[in-house]
Amino acid sequence: VQLVESGGGSVQSGGSLRLSCAASGFTYSSYCMAWFRQAPAKEREGVATIDSNGRTTYADSVKGRFTISQDNAKNTLYLQMNSLKPEDTAMYYCAARGDYCVWPSRGDSYNYWGQGTQVTVSS
């Protein structure tokens, strides 16, 4: 299984970014895909999840601003991030597990991880 993130970058407060995670070799019929983030000197935190039925969950800190989605034809996971704030600055990781979503989670239950993409929001 390989997960490859892209789409990070630097934006000003209030701006938007869309992260992508291209998955390959992932053949579970029941699965969970997730986005996590980790800021310097902080613990990793879950941002959002989506399962094989399309059900989603979000951290309270991003509800109403971020949207997780997936394109099964392209084997790609997305995270649309709007109204970005400086506190959203972090390395963002795509993760997956071949089972139901575990939420809340700091990621210990997720088996597969991407390399991360940096998001920096300036005030």
Side-chain angles (χ1 to χ4, degrees):
V1 175
Q2 186 175 25
L3 302 175
V4 180
E5 302 99 332
S6 60
S10 297
V11 296
Q12 290 192 324
S13 182
S16 298
L17 284 173
R18 188 176 80 157
L19 306 183
S20 299
C21 172
S24 60
F26 196 69
T27 59
Y28 296 95
S29 58
S30 178
Y31 61 82
C32 179
M33 302 291 293
W35 289 99
F36 289 83
R37 66 185 181 185
Q38 188 166 20
K42 291 189 176 181
E43 291 187 332
R44 185 171 59 198
E45 63 173 345
V47 176
T49 69
I50 186 167
D51 69 12
S52 47
N53 292 311
R55 291 174 296 206
T56 60
T57 58
Y58 294 93
D60 288 342
S61 58
V62 306
K63 279 181 182 176
R65 301 188 298 121
F66 291 11
T67 302
I68 189 170
S69 63
Q70 58 189 349
D71 185 331
N72 292 329
K74 295 182 178 181
N75 294 324
T76 302
L77 176 73
Y78 301 101
L79 185 68
Q80 178 66 43
M81 305 185 295
N82 299 328
S83 302
L84 282 161
K85 304 175 181 180
E87 50 264 44
D88 295 318
T89 295
M91 185 72 79
Y92 283 71
Y93 298 91
C94 169
R97 67 192 304 266
D99 209 332
Y100 57 88
C101 287
V102 176
W103 187 265
S105 173
R106 297 197 185 279
D108 293 343
S109 299
Y110 290 78
N111 310 99
Y112 307 106
W113 291 83
Q115 82 288 351
T117 186
Q118 178 68 38
V119 171
T120 303
V121 185
S122 58
S123 56

